[in-house]
Amino acid sequence: MEKVCIVCPRGCHLKYEYVDDQLEVTNNGCKRGPEYLAQELVEPKRMLTTTVTVINGEIPVVPVYASEYVNKEDVPAFIESLKSLELTAPIKCNTEVVTSINGKEVHVYTCRDVGAL
């Protein structure tokens, strides 16, 4: 079987099989490929990044990110939940804006300063 690794820009086409109940991975360009694949096959996770609306800011939105990888299946619902969030300028970089989404602990922070109008 084969899966494309997304850990680094190489995009290695990881080949894998189970031998005696052990995952064997080949065609990886770095040591992170097998670690990624083992996680991806059991519980895929992704980095959550999006933007949040800013009220009275010098820009209309501020980029935000989750401090931890989140379950891949939760990403669409988390992004939908963040669409309703509005922050009022001024905003400082690395301000925590959310600690949970849909009942799950997710720490979301701003990625830049936003000045007020």
Side-chain angles (χ1 to χ4, degrees):
M1 294 180 271
E2 184 175 304
K3 190 152 190 76
V4 176
C5 183
I6 63 171
V7 175
C8 75
R10 284 182 170 172
C12 295
H13 289 255
L14 303 175
K15 297 188 184 316
Y16 67 97
E17 63 182 333
Y18 288 94
V19 177
D20 298 326
D21 291 331
Q22 293 285 6
L23 178 64
E24 291 195 5
V25 181
T26 58
N27 207 38
N28 51 298
C30 71
K31 66 180 181 178
R32 297 182 333 187
E35 294 169 9
Y36 159 78
L37 185 61
Q39 176 69 43
E40 185 72 6
L41 293 174
V42 175
E43 186 179 24
K45 295 189 178 276
R46 297 293 182 268
M47 176 55 75
L48 174 64
T49 61
T50 189
T51 57
V52 171
T53 301
V54 175
I55 298 171
N56 296 327
E58 60 190 5
I59 56 175
V61 294
V62 62
V64 296
Y65 69 96
S67 62
E68 302 278 330
Y69 286 95
V70 299
N71 289 336
K72 181 180 175 182
E73 66 186 30
D74 292 333
V75 170
F78 288 173
I79 289 176
E80 189 62 34
S81 177
L82 289 168
K83 281 183 181 179
S84 64
L85 183 63
E86 294 179 334
L87 302 175
T88 303
I91 301 165
K92 287 289 190 191
C93 184
N94 292 319
T95 298
E96 186 171 25
V97 296
V98 175
T99 57
S100 69
I101 300 174
N102 299 340
K104 295 184 180 182
E105 184 174 342
V106 181
H107 297 273
V108 177
Y109 298 89
T110 58
C111 295
R112 64 167 287 176
D113 292 342
V114 179
L117 289 176

